Amino acid sequence: MSKSIKKIGVMTSGGDSPGMNAAIRAVVRTCAFHKVDCIGIYRGYQGLIEGDFKEMNARSVNNIVNKGGTILKSARSQEFRTVEGRKKAHSNAMEAGLDALVVIGGDGSFTGAMIFSQEFDFPVMGIPGTIDNDIYGTSSTLGYDTALNTVVEAIDKIRDTASSHNRLFFVEVMGRDVGHIALNAGVGAGAEEILIPEENLGKDRLLESLKRSRESGKTSSIVVVAEGDTTGENVFDLKDYVEQNLPEYEVRVSVLGHMQRGGSPSCWDRVLASRMGVKAVESLLDGKSNYMVGIQDSKITLCPIDQAVKGKTDIDLELLRVSDIMTT
Ligand code: F6P
């Protein structure tokens, strides 16, 4: 293993997600294992610009594998979008003796890493950390599995009260402009309808489906709505539309919001984070740069970072069909 890399910086950037701490822990401990120094960078690129650094060692990451959030904090940095901001960041990295950077975040964070690497010929490695699971080059992003379980648990609770009051609930979930959380958690929670941005079948088909549910004897329903869905203006517009057209329905809305970003990471996310952290550091030590660590068919892989930022993830059409059948 080439040792031209002597000191690695690690940061978390963009929306936080469960598993980020497990990934930080894996990066720090893999550095320690290979006797490479590691510097924690607070608040993503903004911390790099401000020189907000902390020396890390194997003990610095005790007892965090099970913690949601990120001990290095996260942020979105407008200043890093400027050449001056990136020059400040690079100068701080040089002053701190950094030889490479591991960025744990989403596609926006990887775009910044790619530009920074190109401008300063600086080695970078990305680890996909976002609950949205919307990054090309990996079948799972850190936090996605935990978010699915959080959403399913929340919907199970909503279903208790929906069935007690014979109500229809619209439950809005995160995912930015993709429907992975809505589709998978919707199937998992047995939702009667799932609305995702990848397909818009219109409000009237929704009414038809709700009518069919009622005629089949269902006295309460759950409709999971991805926040990027375009069937209605928003989830409250859908509520109004159903109340106007199906007055027999008593309708409520529950927007799950940022609780989907929290919580102790699932075992899957902890193991994935550990595997990705090791791969990221050892790839840098092998002289590789400008990749995103991913997982494909259970194997840890490297995807060129320019593909990860440009590619998009598709909805699983087979699961879409399962969802349709389950709503019979
Ligand atoms: O990208 C993760 C995510 O939670 C999205 O699902 C959501 O749309 C967005 O972040 C919310 O961003 P913020 O935390 O800035 O409100």
Side-chain angles (χ1 to χ4, degrees), residues 17-23 64-69 131 140-150 153 260-274:
S17 71
M20 281 189 163
N21 276 327
I64 68 167
V65 68
N66 60 326
K67 296 272 184 301
I131 64 169
S140 266
T141 57
L142 292 182
Y144 175 58
D145 181 63
T146 304
L148 289 182
N149 289 302
T150 299
E153 199 180 319
Q260 298 164 88
R261 293 251 288 268
S264 175
S266 64
C267 182
W268 166 262
D269 275 332
R270 299 181 197 191
V271 172
L272 183 61
S274 302

Side-chain angles (χ1 to χ4, degrees), residues 46-170:
Q46 197 55 38
L48 190 56
I49 290 171
E50 295 170 9
D52 194 358
F53 298 162
K54 178 189 176 189
E55 290 204 8
M56 307 286 277
N57 60 44
R59 299 288 64 81
S60 311
V61 288
N62 283 354
N63 305 319
I64 68 167
V65 68
N66 60 326
K67 296 272 184 301
T70 159
I71 61 168
L72 292 178
K73 310 292 181 190
S74 186
R76 296 183 172 99
S77 171
Q78 292 305 320
E79 196 177 354
F80 195 73
R81 292 169 180 267
T82 68
V83 175
E84 298 69 30
R86 293 194 293 271
K87 280 183 177 165
K88 262 193 256 176
H90 183 252
S91 149
N92 287 334
M94 292 298 98
E95 200 174 318
L98 290 185
D99 301 310
L101 192 56
V102 174
V103 177
I104 304 165
D107 50 0
S109 304
F110 296 160
T111 301
M114 184 177 70
I115 294 168
F116 186 71
S117 179
Q118 287 162 352
E119 283 179 345
F120 300 102
D121 187 25
F122 192 84
V124 299
M125 200 60 67
I127 293 178
T130 171
I131 64 169
D132 300 345
N133 205 38
D134 59 348
I135 302 182
Y136 177 83
T138 184
S139 57
S140 266
T141 57
L142 292 182
Y144 175 58
D145 181 63
T146 304
L148 289 182
N149 289 302
T150 299
V151 170
V152 164
E153 199 180 319
I155 294 174
D156 287 353
K157 290 182 167 70
I158 292 169
R159 186 177 290 283
D160 289 345
T161 181
S163 56
S164 302
H165 288 266
N166 291 342
R167 283 171 170 167
L168 160 61
F169 268 83
F170 283 103

Side-chain angles (χ1 to χ4, degrees), residues 10-327:
V10 58
M11 70 162 66
T12 45
S13 172
D16 68 315
S17 71
M20 281 189 163
N21 276 327
I24 293 167
R25 170 179 176 267
V27 168
V28 173
R29 293 216 170 144
T30 307
C31 284
F33 179 80
H34 289 288
K35 301 195 177 7
V36 168
D37 291 338
C38 187
I39 297 287
I41 300 161
Y42 284 105
R43 295 173 297 114
Y45 294 114
Q46 197 55 38
L48 190 56
I49 290 171
E50 295 170 9
D52 194 358
F53 298 162
K54 178 189 176 189
E55 290 204 8
M56 307 286 277
N57 60 44
R59 299 288 64 81
S60 311
V61 288
N62 283 354
N63 305 319
I64 68 167
V65 68
N66 60 326
K67 296 272 184 301
T70 159
I71 61 168
L72 292 178
K73 310 292 181 190
S74 186
R76 296 183 172 99
S77 171
Q78 292 305 320
E79 196 177 354
F80 195 73
R81 292 169 180 267
T82 68
V83 175
E84 298 69 30
R86 293 194 293 271
K87 280 183 177 165
K88 262 193 256 176
H90 183 252
S91 149
N92 287 334
M94 292 298 98
E95 200 174 318
L98 290 185
D99 301 310
L101 192 56
V102 174
V103 177
I104 304 165
D107 50 0
S109 304
F110 296 160
T111 301
M114 184 177 70
I115 294 168
F116 186 71
S117 179
Q118 287 162 352
E119 283 179 345
F120 300 102
D121 187 25
F122 192 84
V124 299
M125 200 60 67
I127 293 178
T130 171
I131 64 169
D132 300 345
N133 205 38
D134 59 348
I135 302 182
Y136 177 83
T138 184
S139 57
S140 266
T141 57
L142 292 182
Y144 175 58
D145 181 63
T146 304
L148 289 182
N149 289 302
T150 299
V151 170
V152 164
E153 199 180 319
I155 294 174
D156 287 353
K157 290 182 167 70
I158 292 169
R159 186 177 290 283
D160 289 345
T161 181
S163 56
S164 302
H165 288 266
N166 291 342
R167 283 171 170 167
L168 160 61
F169 268 83
F170 283 103
V171 181
E172 184 194 87
V173 298
M174 282 186 162
R176 201 177 290 279
D177 49 12
V178 298
H180 297 303
I181 294 177
L183 180 55
N184 284 270
V187 171
E192 278 66 34
E193 271 301 315
I194 303 169
L195 305 182
I196 56 176
E198 290 83 357
E199 66 160 14
N200 177 348
L201 300 176
K203 289 179 176 177
D204 291 339
R205 196 205 58 88
L206 173 63
L207 290 185
E208 284 312 310
S209 171
L210 293 172
K211 279 180 196 161
R212 272 200 312 276
S213 286
R214 205 168 185 89
E215 284 154 11
S216 73
K218 288 191 178 182
T219 56
S220 65
S221 288
I222 301 279
V223 178
V224 176
V225 185
E227 64 177 334
D229 174 61
T230 56
T231 308
E233 288 302 306
N234 55 47
V235 69
F236 297 97
D237 170 54
L238 292 173
K239 170 188 185 285
D240 295 345
Y241 188 78
V242 170
E243 282 181 331
Q244 285 149 22
N245 292 278
L246 297 176
E248 66 273 26
Y249 267 98
E250 196 179 350
V251 190
R252 294 292 186 275
V253 171
S254 185
V255 177
L256 297 188
H258 284 70
M259 54 98 75
Q260 298 164 88
R261 293 251 288 268
S264 175
S266 64
C267 182
W268 166 262
D269 275 332
R270 299 181 197 191
V271 172
L272 183 61
S274 302
R275 295 177 69 189
M276 286 183 162
V278 170
K279 184 72 174 178
V281 171
E282 292 190 339
S283 299
L284 286 167
L285 297 181
D286 273 348
K288 294 189 179 72
S289 171
N290 273 320
Y291 286 95
M292 176 198 76
V293 179
I295 183 166
Q296 301 283 20
D297 301 325
S298 308
K299 295 273 180 291
I300 298 296
T301 56
L302 291 179
C303 172
I305 207 163
D306 61 338
Q307 287 180 26
V309 298
K310 279 204 297 272
K312 71 180 193 59
T313 57
D314 296 325
I315 275 294
D316 180 345
L317 296 176
E318 181 263 342
L319 185 55
L320 210 51
R321 184 166 176 277
V322 166
S323 155
D324 288 341
I325 294 171
M326 290 305 107
T327 56

